[in-house]
Amino acid sequence: MTPEKDSNGLDTYTFGLEGRFCDLPNTKNEGMEEDNNKLAYCVTDVPPWYLCIVLGIQHCLTAFGGIIAIPLILSKGLCLQFDGLTQSHLISTIFFVSGICTLLQVTFGIRLPILQGGTFTLLAPSMAMLSMPEWTCPAWTQNASLVNTSSTDFIEVWQSRMRTLQGSIMVGSLFQVFVGFSGFIGLFMRFIGPLTIAPTIALIGLSLFDSAGTSAGNHWGISSMTTALIILFSQYLRHIPVPFPTYSKEKKLYTSHVYVFQILPVLLGITLSWLICYILTVSNVLPAEPDQYGYLARTDLKGDVVSQAPWFSFPYPGQWGMPTVSLAGVVGILAGVISSMIESVGDYHACARLSGAPPPPKHAINRGIGIEGLGCLLAGAWGTGNGTTSYSENVGALGITKVGSRMVIVASGVLMIVMGVFGKVGAIFTTIPSPVVGGMFMVMFGVISAAGVSNLQYADMNSSRNIFIFGFSMFSGLVIPNWILKNPTAISTGVAEVDQVLQVLLTTSMFVGGFFGFILDNTIPGSNHERGILAWNKAHEDDCSNTLESEEVYNLPFGISSYLSSSSWLRYIPFCPPGESSSLDGCTADTNALETMQPCGHPEPPQIIIGVAM
């Protein structure tokens, strides 16, 4: 089968493949709509090894922006702005842990092709904790000329903060482990609707405006160029294919079309801006004096980091010392953990639809949330300064590539582990000029904010009740943290621990906005239709006609499910699959239809047209 053509004769698929195709569930198979909803590989298929590697690299590059952004933002709160070598270690560590968590999630968790990586929901409470008066960075750490990165004083300054952050994340993640494996996530979702989620997610992006503005303001010309390039690639050029030379046995050498701009807009925008900054640096267009505007746009500020970084570095638990626990930090992290769980449930359903899998049953969702909590526990132990969550952007990539195989995500996990072991990889990322990072933040945080607001589509926004709840929650989430930050001594209950807890919570915008949204939405009278609960639940339900049997996709590997099903009492454990075949929400699967559907497997490896842009 040759790649399908659209109306202008270009390849429809990013990767054209010859072989059998699976239909996406819940699609109308008519004309071009039928062609656009074909999957080259379903969730349980195993593509050829070279396709797994190529698409695995693509998924790593898709997640790269979010993964490296977190250590770069945390470096300010950890007093590491001028320690590029340590920043490279943090980047390597988060890549390594993200790879491990991805493998755990695909193998023992939800078992869908979904990537795990750092989460912005834990970034806000982490920065709130690090902004407390006792954790304010010493003045000398803000001056590059006074910082000796190898001195014991400086090392203790940032490692003491990291250890407290580690301990808080580890304790907070235990709550997610409990909620997941106990099956309580369903109880949480019963009281949380769009009017709670919208301000919570939106305020994650809005609360980071200072980080974006500070980085972008180091050279507004460079940061504006980076933003413009990312917008150009992701919005204006995304439907324009780029010709690539390709070889196959049938057609020999010929030209195929790859939608590069749709796949890698952030990477292309950063790389191009990075290159321009390098040219401006070697030609001495950018100022060479540290006190001049635009100096931080130079690419040679951390040039020695790449040479100093080891070729191989193996991250390990406790590499920054024994973690300590802060009550205030734990409570703040809990707010982020709850937001992360809610977001992940939505990602599971979206991933199932795009990978040709049945809707995830309750036991798989419970297991997925539990494994994510375990991933946060590992991230805290390794010292990433963050946790892990499911990556929505990689779920979207499944719809672009038309490859829903979980083996591709396994390849991504292995690649991220390899990237974490190669110390030079993390060091290279730290040399990205600050204005380029700021330009990326402008786009990324704006999209996060808009993604939160988009949840309001389920609620009736013609209702004055809903307008009041959302408006008040958003405004309170901006006003209260801002006032507390300007008046850090205002909270004084007489109990230091209580003061710290309130300080962290009230300076975390997503907690303040989400708290008011939750309380008001559940106490002000309103119908489920008006609140958006009915539409929200319907959006997470799928038709009962599945493309694959649920057991084949979601049961545990290596015969574990069969063993658990043999014990009658084990079948009642929330994260264990039931003993008998059943469908979600009481739906009865049509086994005859399943048997007669075209299989997704491939008797022979198909000829594959591969286009890769690095």
PDB file of all heavy atoms in Angstrom, residues 11 41 78 92 140 146 164-165 177 266 324 334 426 486 552 589:
ATOM      1  N   ASP A  11       1.811  13.563   0.630  1.00  0.00           N
ATOM      2  CA  ASP A  11       1.629  12.484   1.588  1.00  0.00           C
ATOM      3  C   ASP A  11       0.857  12.989   2.789  1.00  0.00           C
ATOM      4  O   ASP A  11       1.186  14.014   3.368  1.00  0.00           O
ATOM      5  CB  ASP A  11       2.983  11.945   2.065  1.00  0.00           C
ATOM      6  CG  ASP A  11       3.785  11.356   0.918  1.00  0.00           C
ATOM      7  OD1 ASP A  11       3.256  11.345  -0.209  1.00  0.00           O
ATOM      8  OD2 ASP A  11       4.924  10.920   1.162  1.00  0.00           O
ATOM      9  N   TYR A  41       0.120   1.326  13.097  1.00  0.00           N
ATOM     10  CA  TYR A  41       0.383   0.308  14.119  1.00  0.00           C
ATOM     11  C   TYR A  41      -0.476   0.604  15.331  1.00  0.00           C
ATOM     12  O   TYR A  41      -0.510   1.735  15.814  1.00  0.00           O
ATOM     13  CB  TYR A  41       1.856   0.298  14.528  1.00  0.00           C
ATOM     14  CG  TYR A  41       2.791  -0.198  13.451  1.00  0.00           C
ATOM     15  CD1 TYR A  41       3.383   0.684  12.568  1.00  0.00           C
ATOM     16  CD2 TYR A  41       3.075  -1.550  13.319  1.00  0.00           C
ATOM     17  CE1 TYR A  41       4.238   0.247  11.567  1.00  0.00           C
ATOM     18  CE2 TYR A  41       3.923  -2.010  12.335  1.00  0.00           C
ATOM     19  CZ  TYR A  41       4.506  -1.102  11.461  1.00  0.00           C
ATOM     20  OH  TYR A  41       5.341  -1.546  10.473  1.00  0.00           O
ATOM     21  N   LEU A  78      17.235  27.462  43.376  1.00  0.00           N
ATOM     22  CA  LEU A  78      18.307  26.697  44.015  1.00  0.00           C
ATOM     23  C   LEU A  78      19.630  27.451  44.048  1.00  0.00           C
ATOM     24  O   LEU A  78      20.649  26.875  44.464  1.00  0.00           O
ATOM     25  CB  LEU A  78      18.498  25.367  43.267  1.00  0.00           C
ATOM     26  CG  LEU A  78      17.334  24.375  43.322  1.00  0.00           C
ATOM     27  CD1 LEU A  78      17.576  23.206  42.374  1.00  0.00           C
ATOM     28  CD2 LEU A  78      17.125  23.872  44.740  1.00  0.00           C
ATOM     29  N   SER A  92      20.618  15.936  33.099  1.00  0.00           N
ATOM     30  CA  SER A  92      20.896  14.516  32.870  1.00  0.00           C
ATOM     31  C   SER A  92      20.072  13.639  33.804  1.00  0.00           C
ATOM     32  O   SER A  92      19.538  12.596  33.396  1.00  0.00           O
ATOM     33  CB  SER A  92      22.386  14.236  33.085  1.00  0.00           C
ATOM     34  OG  SER A  92      23.180  14.912  32.138  1.00  0.00           O
ATOM     35  N   TRP A 140      25.511  36.935  47.597  1.00  0.00           N
ATOM     36  CA  TRP A 140      26.730  36.660  46.846  1.00  0.00           C
ATOM     37  C   TRP A 140      26.533  35.592  45.766  1.00  0.00           C
ATOM     38  O   TRP A 140      27.308  35.523  44.797  1.00  0.00           O
ATOM     39  CB  TRP A 140      27.868  36.253  47.784  1.00  0.00           C
ATOM     40  CG  TRP A 140      27.596  35.047  48.630  1.00  0.00           C
ATOM     41  CD1 TRP A 140      27.022  35.031  49.873  1.00  0.00           C
ATOM     42  CD2 TRP A 140      27.874  33.681  48.302  1.00  0.00           C
ATOM     43  NE1 TRP A 140      26.919  33.741  50.341  1.00  0.00           N
ATOM     44  CE2 TRP A 140      27.450  32.890  49.400  1.00  0.00           C
ATOM     45  CE3 TRP A 140      28.453  33.046  47.209  1.00  0.00           C
ATOM     46  CZ2 TRP A 140      27.572  31.507  49.419  1.00  0.00           C
ATOM     47  CZ3 TRP A 140      28.580  31.664  47.231  1.00  0.00           C
ATOM     48  CH2 TRP A 140      28.148  30.913  48.324  1.00  0.00           C
ATOM     49  N   LEU A 146      31.461  36.434  42.220  1.00  0.00           N
ATOM     50  CA  LEU A 146      31.687  36.007  43.597  1.00  0.00           C
ATOM     51  C   LEU A 146      31.411  34.523  43.811  1.00  0.00           C
ATOM     52  O   LEU A 146      31.705  33.995  44.882  1.00  0.00           O
ATOM     53  CB  LEU A 146      30.790  36.828  44.549  1.00  0.00           C
ATOM     54  CG  LEU A 146      31.022  38.346  44.577  1.00  0.00           C
ATOM     55  CD1 LEU A 146      30.029  39.011  45.528  1.00  0.00           C
ATOM     56  CD2 LEU A 146      32.456  38.664  45.011  1.00  0.00           C
ATOM     57  N   THR A 164      15.834  19.355  50.818  1.00  0.00           N
ATOM     58  CA  THR A 164      14.507  19.631  51.371  1.00  0.00           C
ATOM     59  C   THR A 164      13.431  19.441  50.310  1.00  0.00           C
ATOM     60  O   THR A 164      12.350  18.896  50.581  1.00  0.00           O
ATOM     61  CB  THR A 164      14.455  21.068  51.918  1.00  0.00           C
ATOM     62  OG1 THR A 164      15.474  21.238  52.900  1.00  0.00           O
ATOM     63  CG2 THR A 164      13.104  21.361  52.544  1.00  0.00           C
ATOM     64  N   LEU A 165      13.721  19.877  49.101  1.00  0.00           N
ATOM     65  CA  LEU A 165      12.780  19.696  47.994  1.00  0.00           C
ATOM     66  C   LEU A 165      12.578  18.208  47.699  1.00  0.00           C
ATOM     67  O   LEU A 165      11.449  17.752  47.465  1.00  0.00           O
ATOM     68  CB  LEU A 165      13.309  20.430  46.760  1.00  0.00           C
ATOM     69  CG  LEU A 165      12.354  20.635  45.589  1.00  0.00           C
ATOM     70  CD1 LEU A 165      11.085  21.342  46.043  1.00  0.00           C
ATOM     71  CD2 LEU A 165      13.042  21.434  44.488  1.00  0.00           C
ATOM     72  N   VAL A 177       0.593   7.600  45.335  1.00  0.00           N
ATOM     73  CA  VAL A 177       0.683   6.139  45.316  1.00  0.00           C
ATOM     74  C   VAL A 177      -0.537   5.533  46.011  1.00  0.00           C
ATOM     75  O   VAL A 177      -1.155   4.579  45.504  1.00  0.00           O
ATOM     76  CB  VAL A 177       1.987   5.666  45.997  1.00  0.00           C
ATOM     77  CG1 VAL A 177       2.000   4.156  46.142  1.00  0.00           C
ATOM     78  CG2 VAL A 177       3.201   6.137  45.211  1.00  0.00           C
ATOM     79  N   VAL A 266       9.238  23.474  18.378  1.00  0.00           N
ATOM     80  CA  VAL A 266      10.019  24.061  19.473  1.00  0.00           C
ATOM     81  C   VAL A 266      11.507  23.818  19.259  1.00  0.00           C
ATOM     82  O   VAL A 266      12.332  24.731  19.389  1.00  0.00           O
ATOM     83  CB  VAL A 266       9.562  23.477  20.828  1.00  0.00           C
ATOM     84  CG1 VAL A 266      10.449  23.994  21.961  1.00  0.00           C
ATOM     85  CG2 VAL A 266       8.110  23.830  21.098  1.00  0.00           C
ATOM     86  N   THR A 324      15.738  15.684  53.290  1.00  0.00           N
ATOM     87  CA  THR A 324      15.076  16.143  54.512  1.00  0.00           C
ATOM     88  C   THR A 324      13.639  16.528  54.161  1.00  0.00           C
ATOM     89  O   THR A 324      13.309  16.725  52.994  1.00  0.00           O
ATOM     90  CB  THR A 324      15.808  17.340  55.121  1.00  0.00           C
ATOM     91  OG1 THR A 324      15.870  18.401  54.158  1.00  0.00           O
ATOM     92  CG2 THR A 324      17.227  16.958  55.523  1.00  0.00           C
ATOM     93  N   LEU A 334       1.471  18.463  47.731  1.00  0.00           N
ATOM     94  CA  LEU A 334       0.203  17.744  47.628  1.00  0.00           C
ATOM     95  C   LEU A 334      -0.763  18.435  46.678  1.00  0.00           C
ATOM     96  O   LEU A 334      -1.490  17.777  45.913  1.00  0.00           O
ATOM     97  CB  LEU A 334      -0.440  17.607  49.014  1.00  0.00           C
ATOM     98  CG  LEU A 334       0.180  16.584  49.953  1.00  0.00           C
ATOM     99  CD1 LEU A 334      -0.502  16.623  51.313  1.00  0.00           C
ATOM    100  CD2 LEU A 334       0.088  15.183  49.361  1.00  0.00           C
ATOM    101  N   GLY A 426      23.472  16.745  28.608  1.00  0.00           N
ATOM    102  CA  GLY A 426      22.917  17.757  29.499  1.00  0.00           C
ATOM    103  C   GLY A 426      23.719  19.033  29.488  1.00  0.00           C
ATOM    104  O   GLY A 426      23.164  20.134  29.593  1.00  0.00           O
ATOM    105  N   LYS A 486       4.929  40.072  48.631  1.00  0.00           N
ATOM    106  CA  LYS A 486       5.369  41.433  48.958  1.00  0.00           C
ATOM    107  C   LYS A 486       5.348  41.700  50.457  1.00  0.00           C
ATOM    108  O   LYS A 486       5.995  42.652  50.923  1.00  0.00           O
ATOM    109  CB  LYS A 486       4.471  42.452  48.241  1.00  0.00           C
ATOM    110  CG  LYS A 486       4.653  42.474  46.731  1.00  0.00           C
ATOM    111  CD  LYS A 486       3.762  43.516  46.076  1.00  0.00           C
ATOM    112  CE  LYS A 486       4.001  43.576  44.577  1.00  0.00           C
ATOM    113  NZ  LYS A 486       3.113  44.567  43.904  1.00  0.00           N
ATOM    114  N   GLU A 552      -6.225  -7.590  26.381  1.00  0.00           N
ATOM    115  CA  GLU A 552      -4.986  -7.671  25.609  1.00  0.00           C
ATOM    116  C   GLU A 552      -4.134  -6.427  25.810  1.00  0.00           C
ATOM    117  O   GLU A 552      -2.906  -6.482  25.797  1.00  0.00           O
ATOM    118  CB  GLU A 552      -5.308  -7.855  24.130  1.00  0.00           C
ATOM    119  CG  GLU A 552      -4.081  -8.019  23.235  1.00  0.00           C
ATOM    120  CD  GLU A 552      -4.455  -8.135  21.778  1.00  0.00           C
ATOM    121  OE1 GLU A 552      -5.666  -8.113  21.471  1.00  0.00           O
ATOM    122  OE2 GLU A 552      -3.538  -8.234  20.950  1.00  0.00           O
ATOM    123  N   ALA A 589     -18.760  -5.917  25.226  1.00  0.00           N
ATOM    124  CA  ALA A 589     -18.002  -5.906  23.981  1.00  0.00           C
ATOM    125  C   ALA A 589     -18.594  -6.908  23.010  1.00  0.00           C
ATOM    126  O   ALA A 589     -19.021  -7.994  23.380  1.00  0.00           O
ATOM    127  CB  ALA A 589     -16.533  -6.240  24.258  1.00  0.00           C
TER     128      ALA A 589
END
